[in-house]
Amino acid sequence: MVELAALNTVDLAEYRSHNARSAHGTLGLITINNDVFLCVITGASKVATVRPQETVQRIHAVDFHCLNTSEYDQVLNEDLNPYPTDDPSPDGFELGSSQRREPLQEHPCLALKKLLSGGTFYYSTDFDLTNRLQDRSNESAVFDIDSLDDDFLWNSYMIGPLIGFRSKLNAHERQALDASQILTSAIRGFVLTVTIPAATSPIRPSSTGLPGALTLVSRLSCRRAGTRFNARGIDDDGNVANFVETETVLWSPSGVCFSYAQIRGSVPTFWEQATGLLPGQQKIQITRSAEAAQPAFNKHMDALQVEYGTVHVINLLSATKPGEAELTSRYRQHARQSRSLTNDADDGATEHDLIKVTNFDFHAETKGPGGYEAASQVRHHIQDAADGFAYYLSEPVEEDAPSASPNRRLSWQGTRVVLQQEGVFRSNCLDCLDRTNLVQTIISRTSIEAFLEHHGEHASSDFWIRHSSLWADNGDALSRIYAGTGALKSSFTRHGKMSLAGAIADARKSATRMYINNFADKGRQNTIDLLLGRLMGQAPVHLFDPINDHVDAELGKRAAQYSSSKTIGILAGTFNLNGQTKGVGEELSSWLCPPVEKSQRHPAIIAVGFQEIVELSPQQIMSTDPTRRQAWERAVKRTLNEYAKQHGVEEYVLLRSGQLVGTALSVWVKVNVLQEIKNVEGSIKKTGMSGMAGNKGAVAIRLDYANTSLCFVTAHLAAGFANYEERNRDYVTINHGTRFQRNRMIEDHDTIIWLGDFNYRIGLGDEKVRKLIQMGDLEALYENDQLNLQMVAGLTFPFYSEARITFPPTYKYDNGTDNYDTSEKSRIPAWTDRILRKGTNLRQINYGTAPLRFSDHRPVYATFNCTVEIIDETLKEQLSREIYERRRREVGGFMASTRADETEDEDLFGYDAIAPGLPPASSDRQKWWLDNGLPVRSNIRPPEAGLIPNPKRPSNPFTPSDVPEWISPEKPRTPARSIAQVSSPSLHTLRTPTFSSSTPQSTPFGLSLHSPAPIPAPRPTASQRTSIAPSGETKRPTDDLSSPSSKPDFSTSVSSTTRKPAPPVPKKKPELSAANGGGALSPRHRSDGSTAQILDREDDHARLEEKWEPLRPQ
């Protein structure tokens, strides 16, 4: 729970400081292993001053403080160097002592601490660092947290709960929180200012002689953040990997400020690149068809146009390298199909096009004798666009304003925007690092030269050296973030020429990159995903807010207002091709377009799985050849779209495909549902030869359709009649070992469909199986099916379902016939090809096979109806705010408080019942049974007259018990007369002796006392006190105990009971107990001849003892 309170209202006496470091700000809250940590910036240094009063700090140390346990208070806080180094280590921080000690306990936030302390994160408390100069206010003092750009806010996940809390404060509380500067917005990238002396400043210096400043700000997007081989291409939301906005800012003491922004980012299509120790092994793979990738490309370009205006693409990929040439071709194809492009820039595009493309083969252009200097030729391709884009320019302005006094005028100073940038250059190579940084340096210089030329100025060589050095540092910083090392070609960027030392440094960087990308990037990627809150199962931090609890409950009740559902059709088909290729040209419609109900004929999604797409020879099982897969994908596409055209429905496009040697999976979707699909990912898992070979294994593809997640898995499990246990192990390996991004697993999806050659057999002899097939007794076969038996036993595919099988076994046939195996091996027919499902939103409609005979298997298909949930996020957010505001008005100003005299009862004000018929929540202060001042009254009545509640019944009415709730009270016997305490001022305890009399006249009271236990007695009143006269005679102020007719006033009585009387006490002689000072013993004769002996002590701890003994008459 978090609360904003004034410092003078909080008692800090019981708080202590964790360490001596000062806190510069808070990056937010994060949950790790169910512990909540607060991230505090403990070390920072100023690296830039963009404009006066606009400073930027670089983070070089952070601490994580656990809020719910003190277990980690002393971990990570010892022997750390609190001062930044010029070249931070990969860990991001260093130990102060020369000897690094092994920690006794590893802090759960150690990886995050290393990442955040690595010198790549920056923040400012003076201005909005997430937006370029053109997009933020001219007033440097204005800093609105609400205007932060989430695309570049790297701690948006951690700071989100605090930002949400801030948004619910009233105006003055929000101002107080902002003034504290405790909420910090951090970017990742590079920020640095170099001072431009007045003597070398390209802008005419002012009379003050102050130096100017040249600042470079690179903001790395966090939308598709990751390391080199883990984040490539684009996602379904239009975010690309390694997207960086770099802004060059030149400020002069005269008040003139120049800004120019350009961007870089991965090729905006779906592609991946595998890691490898050798350059040739890092093959590029395009993972989605052009048609299926076009919507994501359009989203990306549309977002750039909205943000920057016209986009001029500079593609630096090679036109001769196979992988890069394929990407270039796809890039050009997407651009031509884009809604915003009518012509290619190289083919005569008009100036009105919002997207222009320039293909500049960097390697080919710089291969000649000119070397990297030839890269400047790119200026000829972009000069016209650069002139049209212009730049951002602001100048100081001073105006006089009239005042209330006619003889006085007020002077007003401010800034005026002269020009604004109206377009942007988007540069890319393969990694968007080395080539891209060099070309962006040239573009930055071109823009500054244009600005100076317009002002009749020029820059000196010293200025350009500072400019080049700044860009070289920028390239190194961005390269370390993405690839793990500094940028290649930085020697040329820094000095304008390539030296031998620079070439050797580039070779060393390449080797280091190879090592880091293969062995370290996976851990770095997980840490990045943890920081951004994208790991599967990662629990967010929820700040306790009673009103928000009510909002969540109300949203759940009103889900129908912002959510809806619809049913889509899905077809899944699996086919073991037995390595055959002659079927590529055959008609596949009987399998992919089966004769089913009309509602099932044109599904929205089709998943097609192949096994043994190539012959599983020893040479094939270690590598994957996509040629066969691509040929079959063309056949599938032809079949689907011909059928769609015949019926006048939407055509299908390939969403994604994957291959593991002979196992392949492709997912096809209708064109009109592409806008509903996002987060498409693929994964493979080998199981052959203990995971070393790909002859057996699985290919999985997952996607989100609206707000429902789906996963398709095609698998080829271990062969062999008796190897069902190995097949069970293959399932476990695939199910638990297949991983998607954000650490998603197969089981983390709403809908799961497995299809493939699972190789489970029928546990009967060959002759009997064939006879049962001829008889059509499929039930007897299914009762002996290994997969059925293993699933019933819970040994494989738990919680999965399979529709009833109504077709004969699909394996093994003689190729081209309907005859089961007639070879020498005479394989036993079996249902090896299966389709299983899992998901409460999934209902299977059909399950059948198709008569395709070119393989020894028969293809199997299944159709499903899948209910998907669609949530209108905009409407949900609007509804949430309305409920919150209404609830806040209802409960008024009651808030949590740190004062000890208040409780948390106010959190319950206005709460309604959780269900009809139940009362609202109650507390010590608010009791529903006392509402409106009504008295407490029970309406419970006994079932029969004369019954009372059973006192032996458990106090908790919900505790199971055999004890009856109502009982009949026992009729009390006539009680004997009681004897009360005998009191004195010094008496605290009455000990009642046990005695008995043979006749009723043995005692004057007819009393039988049989409880020797001490009975507490209250202090007697004055009328009950007993005194002892100096002569030893016991006196009582009002009553005489010796009289049988006297009726004493008892304050405590002991009554005779139905129990048997105690046995008689043996006769004793009167004894005097005088411990601790003794006392007075006075015998008193009674009418029956007995004697009462009373022992009285003046001490408060004394006890009174009555001894009754029958005496003989004297």
Side-chain angles (χ1 to χ4, degrees):
M1 183 173 179
V2 64
E3 178 185 351
L4 181 68
L7 187 62
N8 56 7
T9 65
V10 182
D11 184 9
L12 301 178
E14 298 181 358
Y15 293 84
R16 62 179 178 84
S17 176
H18 277 194
N19 51 59
R21 297 186 185 183
S22 59
H24 300 270
T26 301
L27 292 179
L29 301 164
I30 193 167
T31 301
I32 300 179
N33 298 332
N34 296 324
D35 291 325
V36 180
F37 293 88
L38 175 68
C39 182
V40 178
I41 303 172
T42 56
S45 58
K46 187 175 76 171
V47 294
T49 303
V50 181
R51 295 186 298 186
Q53 300 180 359
E54 291 185 352
T55 61
V56 180
Q57 313 288 325
R58 185 178 73 173
I59 300 173
H60 57 73
V62 298
D63 277 340
F64 285 86
H65 300 285
C66 189
L67 301 183
N68 58 302
T69 178
S70 60
E71 182 180 356
Y72 307 106
D73 285 357
Q74 302 303 322
V75 183
L76 283 184
N77 292 331
E78 298 180 358
D79 297 331
L80 295 182
N81 180 11
Y83 302 101
T85 58
D86 293 335
D87 188 11
S89 65
D91 288 348
F93 59 91
E94 299 174 350
L95 291 175
S97 59
S98 59
Q99 307 229 344
R100 185 183 293 265
R101 297 185 299 176
E102 289 294 330
L104 298 177
Q105 178 185 16
E106 182 173 302
H107 198 285
C109 301
L110 178 61
L112 282 176
K113 180 179 177 70
K114 291 180 179 181
L115 178 67
L116 293 170
S117 303
T120 60
F121 289 87
Y122 302 82
Y123 74 95
S124 175
T125 58
D126 303 324
F127 69 103
D128 180 7
L129 191 55
T130 65
N131 281 296
R132 54 179 176 155
L133 194 61
Q134 178 171 312
D135 295 334
R136 54 189 173 90
S137 172
N138 293 324
E139 301 297 331
S140 60
V142 176
F143 182 23
D144 186 7
I145 294 179
D146 295 328
S147 65
L148 296 175
D149 190 343
D150 288 339
D151 290 347
F152 302 110
L153 184 62
W154 272 72
N155 63 323
S156 60
Y157 174 75
M158 293 199 301
I159 205 71
L162 296 177
I163 295 292
F165 167 76
R166 172 189 174 276
S167 66
K168 297 164 186 175
L169 300 175
N170 54 44
H172 75 275
E173 290 176 332
R174 199 158 45 237
Q175 292 175 0
L177 180 61
D178 293 345
S180 69
Q181 298 183 344
I182 192 173
L183 301 183
T184 306
S185 56
I187 69 166
R188 194 180 193 195
F190 174 78
V191 183
L192 186 63
T193 293
V194 295
T195 302
I196 307 298
T200 59
S201 176
I203 304 177
R204 186 179 295 109
S206 62
S207 57
T208 60
L210 296 175
L214 178 64
T215 304
L216 202 62
V217 181
S218 286
R219 307 173 182 92
L220 177 62
S221 173
C222 61
R223 294 299 188 188
R224 189 165 169 77
T227 54
R228 186 183 181 193
F229 289 101
N230 291 294
R232 292 290 205 191
I234 197 172
D235 64 14
D236 289 282
D237 293 323
N239 304 307
V240 296
N242 202 22
F243 183 84
V244 183
E245 177 190 82
T246 303
E247 182 180 16
T248 306
V249 180
L250 177 61
W251 177 82
S252 170
S254 62
V256 176
C257 188
F258 160 89
S259 169
Y260 192 82
Q262 49 187 317
I263 57 177
R264 67 176 74 182
S266 187
V267 176
T269 192
F270 293 89
W271 63 282
E272 298 172 355
Q273 188 176 15
T275 59
L277 295 176
L278 299 177
Q281 295 178 343
Q282 301 170 355
K283 293 183 179 180
I284 296 172
Q285 178 186 7
I286 296 179
T287 60
R288 195 179 295 190
S289 65
E291 299 91 340
Q294 190 66 43
F297 179 90
N298 292 338
K299 286 181 182 179
H300 176 67
M301 289 301 175
D302 290 346
L304 295 184
Q305 292 159 24
V306 171
E307 180 67 25
Y308 302 102
T310 304
V311 180
H312 191 120
V313 175
I314 304 177
N315 178 31
L316 305 175
L317 294 176
S318 171
T320 57
K321 292 184 178 181
E324 295 190 14
E326 188 178 3
L327 285 176
T328 297
S329 176
R330 178 61 65 86
Y331 204 164
R332 185 189 297 266
Q333 181 180 355
H334 282 318
R336 286 176 175 170
Q337 295 296 326
S338 175
R339 296 187 296 268
S340 304
L341 180 70
T342 56
N343 295 288
D344 192 295
D346 294 337
D347 299 331
T350 67
E351 61 179 2
H352 301 291
D353 293 332
L354 294 179
I355 299 179
K356 300 181 176 67
V357 179
T358 294
N359 292 299
F360 186 80
D361 189 341
F362 184 91
H363 288 314
E365 296 290 343
T366 59
K367 188 179 294 184
Y372 292 143
E373 294 181 3
S376 59
Q377 297 298 320
V378 72
R379 301 177 66 167
H380 301 298
H381 298 273
I382 65 172
Q383 189 63 55
D384 292 341
D387 293 341
F389 292 165
Y391 44 82
Y392 172 83
L393 179 65
S394 65
E395 294 179 346
V397 60
E398 183 173 352
E399 298 180 358
D400 292 335
S403 66
S405 174
N407 298 326
R408 182 183 177 187
R409 299 185 66 84
L410 298 177
S411 178
W412 175 83
Q413 293 182 347
T415 58
R416 178 183 60 190
V417 176
V418 179
L419 284 175
Q420 285 194 328
Q421 187 175 342
E422 299 178 357
V424 70
F425 286 105
R426 186 195 188 280
S427 306
N428 72 269
C429 54
L430 194 63
D431 297 323
C432 302
L433 297 176
D434 317 318
R435 290 174 276 179
T436 299
N437 195 73
L438 180 55
V439 169
Q440 284 195 333
T441 305
I442 297 172
I443 296 175
S444 176
R445 176 165 180 163
T446 301
S447 63
I448 294 177
E449 288 177 345
F451 158 65
L452 296 177
E453 183 180 353
H454 294 163
H455 284 72
E457 304 285 351
H458 68 278
S460 63
S461 59
D462 178 76
F463 173 83
W464 292 123
I465 290 175
R466 296 173 189 268
H467 174 268
S468 299
S469 178
L470 193 60
W471 270 96
D473 293 340
N474 174 72
D476 287 340
L478 297 179
S479 182
R480 288 191 189 97
I481 294 173
Y482 191 59
T485 70
L488 307 181
K489 308 173 184 64
S490 60
S491 176
F492 177 83
T493 305
R494 196 178 301 275
H495 305 293
K497 60 181 180 179
M498 194 66 182
S499 61
L500 177 61
I504 296 174
D506 286 352
R508 176 179 58 82
K509 293 174 183 176
S510 297
T512 305
R513 279 185 185 182
M514 191 178 305
Y515 172 81
I516 293 175
N517 299 155
N518 281 275
F519 301 106
D521 275 359
K522 185 176 181 180
R524 295 170 61 207
Q525 182 69 51
N526 287 337
T527 305
I528 292 172
D529 291 339
L530 176 64
L531 173 66
L532 299 176
R534 296 175 182 172
L535 288 181
M536 196 65 194
Q538 185 174 354
V541 176
H542 295 290
L543 299 181
F544 176 71
D545 186 344
I547 301 181
N548 267 338
D549 293 343
H550 173 79
V551 172
D552 293 340
E554 284 297 312
L555 285 177
K557 297 176 183 178
R558 302 167 65 175
Q561 298 184 22
Y562 59 83
S563 65
S564 60
S565 63
K566 72 175 182 179
T567 301
I568 63 171
I570 298 177
L571 183 143
T574 179
F575 197 178
N576 187 314
L577 298 173
N578 193 28
Q580 302 294 322
T581 58
K582 58 183 179 181
V584 173
E586 290 195 16
E587 179 64 37
L588 304 178
S589 59
S590 60
W591 172 43
L592 301 177
C593 309
V596 294
E597 298 87 344
K598 185 176 181 180
S599 61
Q600 302 293 311
R601 291 182 185 175
H602 306 287
I605 301 175
I606 298 178
V608 181
F610 291 108
Q611 301 82 43
E612 296 188 28
I613 202 169
V614 297
E615 295 182 3
L616 299 180
S617 62
Q619 295 79 17
Q620 291 277 7
I621 64 175
M622 301 303 293
S623 61
T624 298
D625 182 7
T627 306
R628 294 277 186 92
R629 171 179 60 83
Q630 293 170 353
W632 280 104
E633 286 174 357
R634 289 192 293 268
V636 171
K637 182 177 182 179
R638 182 186 67 249
T639 301
L640 294 177
N641 288 338
E642 286 180 357
Y643 188 77
K645 290 179 181 178
Q646 293 175 6
H647 294 79
V649 297
E650 292 281 345
E651 294 187 354
Y652 290 88
V653 298
L654 177 61
L655 185 66
R656 176 159 182 152
S657 63
Q659 181 179 355
L660 174 64
V661 187
T663 304
L665 176 65
S666 57
V667 176
W668 305 79
V669 298
K670 284 185 175 181
V671 176
N672 61 343
V673 303
L674 279 173
Q675 59 184 358
E676 302 286 346
I677 295 176
K678 60 183 179 179
N679 299 328
V680 182
E681 302 169 18
S683 181
I684 62 173
K685 185 63 180 179
K686 300 178 181 179
T687 59
M689 296 176 61
S690 300
M692 297 296 294
N695 60 317
K696 295 295 186 290
V699 180
I701 295 177
R702 58 95 51 211
L703 59 95
D704 290 335
Y705 192 109
N707 296 95
T708 300
S709 59
L710 299 92
C711 183
F712 301 94
V713 185
T714 186
H716 195 188
L717 306 184
F721 181 86
N723 291 338
Y724 57 87
E725 291 184 352
E726 186 176 351
R727 288 187 277 274
N728 293 349
R729 289 193 294 270
D730 285 349
Y731 160 77
V732 174
T733 300
I734 295 169
N735 191 56
H736 294 284
T738 304
R739 288 289 193 276
F740 301 98
Q741 293 184 15
R742 318 303 179 215
N743 204 31
R744 291 190 185 97
M745 300 173 61
I746 293 176
E747 296 295 327
D748 294 324
H749 295 82
D750 302 320
T751 303
I752 308 171
I753 297 177
W754 282 68
L755 57 151
D757 182 358
F758 300 157
N759 259 321
Y760 286 92
R761 309 303 171 90
I762 297 175
L764 297 173
D766 179 57
E767 183 178 352
K768 187 170 185 179
V769 170
R770 294 176 188 254
K771 184 176 180 180
L772 290 173
I773 294 174
Q774 291 177 357
M775 296 171 57
D777 192 355
L778 301 183
E779 292 294 333
L781 293 175
Y782 189 71
E783 289 176 358
N784 293 275
D785 177 71
Q786 290 179 349
L787 178 58
N788 174 42
L789 295 174
Q790 295 297 305
M791 290 178 64
V792 170
L795 301 177
T796 189
F797 291 99
F799 308 108
Y800 280 84
S801 302
E802 183 182 30
R804 181 184 180 189
I805 296 179
T806 59
F807 49 87
T810 58
Y811 171 84
K812 175 184 183 189
Y813 291 89
D814 292 334
N815 289 347
T817 71
D818 288 329
N819 301 322
Y820 286 104
D821 188 15
T822 59
S823 65
E824 295 181 359
K825 295 183 177 179
S826 187
R827 305 285 190 184
I828 301 175
W831 285 299
T832 58
D833 309 281
R834 312 289 274 270
I835 299 177
L836 307 178
R837 71 185 187 276
K838 182 179 180 181
T840 57
N841 62 333
L842 196 63
R843 185 167 67 93
Q844 188 165 344
I845 307 300
N846 295 286
Y847 197 19
T849 184
L852 298 179
R853 300 177 176 84
F854 55 82
S855 173
D856 60 353
H857 289 251
R858 290 292 181 266
V860 176
Y861 67 86
T863 63
F864 305 89
N865 281 343
C866 181
T867 303
V868 295
E869 185 181 16
I870 303 173
I871 296 178
D872 188 335
E873 297 293 347
T874 303
L875 182 58
K876 181 180 179 181
E877 178 65 22
Q878 178 183 352
L879 187 62
S880 175
R881 289 190 172 276
E882 291 177 359
I883 297 173
Y884 188 92
E885 293 300 330
R886 182 173 65 253
R887 189 62 173 179
R888 184 158 188 166
R889 290 193 298 268
E890 290 175 358
V891 301
F894 294 103
M895 298 182 63
S897 175
T898 55
R899 291 196 295 268
D901 58 343
E902 295 187 8
T903 68
E904 296 180 356
D905 293 347
E906 56 267 17
D907 298 334
L908 302 175
F909 281 120
Y911 265 55
D912 299 326
I914 60 175
L918 295 180
S922 61
S923 67
D924 289 341
R925 190 179 301 179
Q926 181 181 7
K927 301 177 177 63
W928 54 265
W929 58 90
L930 292 178
D931 288 346
N932 303 320
L934 297 178
V936 178
R937 185 178 64 179
S938 173
N939 293 324
I940 300 176
R941 296 289 183 269
E944 298 178 9
L947 296 182
I948 64 172
N950 189 349
K952 296 182 180 180
R953 178 81 178 176
S955 58
N956 185 354
F958 300 101
T959 302
S961 175
D962 296 331
V963 180
E965 296 182 1
W966 303 89
I967 61 173
S968 298
E970 296 183 1
K971 295 182 179 180
R973 297 185 180 183
T974 304
R977 287 181 294 173
S978 303
I979 184 170
Q981 66 182 51
V982 182
S983 316
S984 74
S986 60
L987 177 64
H988 277 196
T989 305
L990 170 67
R991 184 174 300 274
T992 58
T994 302
F995 73 98
S996 176
S997 176
S998 59
T999 63
Q1001 291 80 18
S1002 60
T1003 66
F1005 306 108
L1007 178 65
S1008 175
L1009 297 178
H1010 49 81
S1011 178
I1015 301 176
R1019 185 169 297 278
T1021 62
S1023 63
Q1024 294 172 317
R1025 292 172 184 167
T1026 302
S1027 63
I1028 299 178
S1031 61
E1033 182 182 0
T1034 303
K1035 295 184 178 181
R1036 188 174 179 86
T1038 57
D1039 298 322
D1040 186 1
L1041 292 177
S1042 63
S1043 173
S1045 62
S1046 64
K1047 192 174 183 179
D1049 181 16
F1050 298 131
S1051 61
T1052 301
S1053 63
V1054 180
S1055 302
S1056 62
T1057 66
T1058 59
R1059 288 181 292 180
K1060 295 181 180 181
V1065 179
K1067 289 200 301 183
K1068 289 184 181 180
K1069 292 182 179 182
E1071 295 179 353
L1072 173 66
S1073 175
N1076 298 327
L1081 179 62
S1082 174
R1084 185 174 181 86
H1085 295 279
R1086 301 191 185 275
S1087 61
D1088 59 355
S1090 62
T1091 302
Q1093 296 178 341
I1094 300 176
L1095 176 64
D1096 190 23
R1097 294 271 313 280
E1098 293 297 327
D1099 185 54
D1100 283 343
H1101 298 285
R1103 297 175 180 266
L1104 176 66
E1105 205 170 74
E1106 289 191 13
K1107 296 180 182 287
W1108 301 85
E1109 181 181 6
L1111 299 178
R1112 293 179 181 178
Q1114 295 180 356

